[in-house]
Amino acid sequence: MNTEIYKSPEELDSFNYQEVQDGILAILERGCSAVLDMTACTYVSSTGMRVLLYSKKMAAAKGLKLYLVGVSAEVQDIMSVTGFDGFFDSFATVEECLQHIY
């Protein structure tokens, strides 16, 4: 399975969600699973959470995966409160994720 990495910005919110969503969907359109490197991301708004969920659904519809990497404690707290933490395969590092995939 081919996989590509997309680096998340420091914040995923209503100001940049379209860019992030388009980047992830472009990877999926190429027939690759997406690894969203969230190492630099310290905040995800409700709009950002919708991007993650939508991207996961689009990946699944194509028989692909969306993996999250480097989710900060702040973002993990948001995901736990919203119940999103159980929806995603998450890894501490890109290397760990790629080892899992391959």
Side-chain angles (χ1 to χ4, degrees), residues 24-100:
I24 295 169
L25 293 181
I27 291 170
L28 300 175
E29 287 299 318
R30 290 190 288 272
C32 297
S33 288
V35 174
L36 180 58
D37 183 352
M38 299 182 71
T39 306
C41 186
T42 58
Y43 175 74
V44 178
S45 71
S46 60
T47 302
M49 296 302 281
R50 284 193 300 273
V51 167
L52 297 179
L53 188 57
Y54 179 74
S55 298
K56 179 177 173 45
K57 286 182 180 181
M58 294 305 296
K62 295 177 177 295
L64 301 169
K65 295 271 194 173
L66 172 66
Y67 302 98
L68 304 183
V69 169
V71 178
S72 69
E74 296 88 355
V75 174
Q76 185 62 44
D77 286 345
I78 295 167
M79 292 179 78
S80 293
V81 168
T82 59
F84 277 47
D85 56 337
F87 294 159
F88 298 96
D89 292 325
S90 296
F91 300 90
T93 66
V94 170
E95 293 77 21
E96 182 183 317
C97 180
L98 295 177
Q99 284 180 344
H100 172 79

